[in-house]
Amino acid sequence: MDEFEKPEGQAQATREAMEESGITVNAVWMRYFSFTGAAGEYEIDAYLNGSLQLPAHERDLVSHAVNELIKELPPRRMAPYSTNGKNPEPERDPYGEKSGENR
């Protein structure tokens, strides 16, 4: 059995995803509720903290709400690569021509 098939494992992984993304229980509950979730905000909080088990369908709605909220977050800054000692290529304009060139 996969660890996420167990309610505790799914709740823990969902809570960790929320913490890493800075998503609140209130935001999750509001999104979950919009998906026809039946549990209240306190029940969702108790589920995420391991105090209450929810049916699989409700757990999946919570996970779906969290995933939707994560998708809405702005992308994170990426690390730059080195240029291997070469000068970087000049910026290009939207038409694909090197900047500063005559048309």
Side-chain angles (χ1 to χ4, degrees), residues 1-60:
M1 176 181 265
D2 188 318
E3 72 174 289
F4 299 122
E5 291 178 16
K6 297 178 185 177
E8 304 83 24
Q10 186 177 9
Q12 180 180 354
T14 302
R15 186 179 63 249
E16 289 169 0
M18 289 172 59
E19 289 170 358
E20 289 172 11
S21 301
I23 297 172
T24 65
V25 172
N26 180 263
V28 171
W29 177 76
M30 289 180 64
R31 184 62 59 95
Y32 158 87
F33 186 73
S34 76
F35 296 147
T36 69
E41 183 176 356
Y42 293 113
E43 293 167 306
I44 298 302
D45 189 30
Y47 158 69
L48 292 168
N49 288 303
S51 302
L52 176 73
Q53 289 191 7
L54 293 175
H57 175 72
E58 298 300 318
R59 294 192 319 261
D60 288 343

